[in-house]
Amino acid sequence: MTTADTVTRAEVEDFLYREAALLDSWDLDGWLALFDPDAKYEMPCNDRRDGDPARDLMLIDDDHRRMQARVERLNNRRAHREYPHSRTNHQVFNVQVQSAGDELGVTASFTVWRFRGGRSSTYVGRYHYRLRTTADGFRIAYKRVELDMTDLRQVADVAIVL
């Protein structure tokens, strides 16, 4: 894999499935390793899906350093919201890929089920990625999670990585 023009959707799907498997197995260090050092990870508020971190409140607006701190916190036994860890099941589908210069623009729908303390929660939305191709595979330059849900009261919190 060397250029964005020669990549197939199946290769991108396999990468997204691998990311989902890392999250479901709580291999957050492995998940973080998928990101480039200059990567961004963001999630706008569910009432403002088109939110811009420069002017709007975001649920998540992380650079690589903040992602690393998030992973360290969630891996710590003192993370009372997630210890013991929730069981999750990330489903990724309707993947679309567009070449964008040296990067790939990728969108995908998702559903994430979370099971914890005898309760289940469901998160539904859309992923937006910018992926870079390298000799070793893909690297995430940017990931944006847009929730389709209009209300988070049913799920209480978003303490897992979507």
Side-chain angles (χ1 to χ4, degrees):
M1 207 177 332
T2 56
T3 68
D5 295 330
T6 61
V7 173
T8 67
R9 187 182 74 229
E11 290 172 316
V12 172
E13 287 174 340
D14 286 346
F15 178 78
L16 298 181
Y17 299 156
R18 189 170 116 228
E19 179 193 21
L22 289 168
L23 291 171
D24 289 340
S25 66
W26 277 88
D27 183 355
L28 300 181
D29 293 309
W31 172 76
L32 183 62
L34 300 176
F35 288 81
D36 267 346
D38 63 341
K40 288 276 294 172
Y41 174 57
E42 62 187 34
M43 183 181 346
C45 292
N46 56 322
D47 64 344
R48 185 87 197 221
R49 288 181 54 190
D50 63 343
D52 178 350
R55 68 173 189 272
D56 298 312
L57 180 64
M58 305 289 280
L59 293 174
I60 298 172
D61 182 18
D62 288 357
D63 59 11
H64 198 275
R65 181 184 54 80
R66 289 182 61 162
M67 283 188 280
Q68 187 171 10
R70 182 180 302 277
V71 165
E72 288 172 7
R73 186 174 58 254
L74 288 171
N75 278 335
N76 190 316
R77 292 176 66 100
R78 293 187 184 133
H80 66 278
R81 287 248 191 234
E82 281 306 325
Y83 198 84
H85 299 310
S86 296
R87 290 187 183 181
T88 61
N89 186 307
H90 288 70
Q91 300 290 307
V92 181
F93 50 97
N94 292 343
V95 176
Q96 297 177 338
V97 181
Q98 296 176 350
S99 180
D102 294 339
E103 297 179 339
L104 294 170
V106 177
T107 58
S109 298
F110 71 85
T111 303
V112 178
W113 288 274
R114 176 187 183 207
F115 305 95
R116 179 173 175 75
R119 297 181 52 190
S120 65
S121 304
T122 307
Y123 305 85
V124 177
R126 193 125 180 96
Y127 292 135
H128 299 268
Y129 291 91
R130 280 194 336 264
L131 300 180
R132 295 178 178 143
T133 57
T134 70
D136 298 325
F138 296 114
R139 303 283 297 165
I140 300 172
Y142 173 81
K143 180 177 180 179
R144 181 179 175 105
V145 179
E146 294 177 353
L147 293 170
D148 286 336
M149 307 151 61
T150 58
D151 190 351
L152 291 178
R153 283 179 277 193
Q154 298 297 327
V155 295
D157 61 35
V158 185
I160 60 170
V161 176
L162 296 175

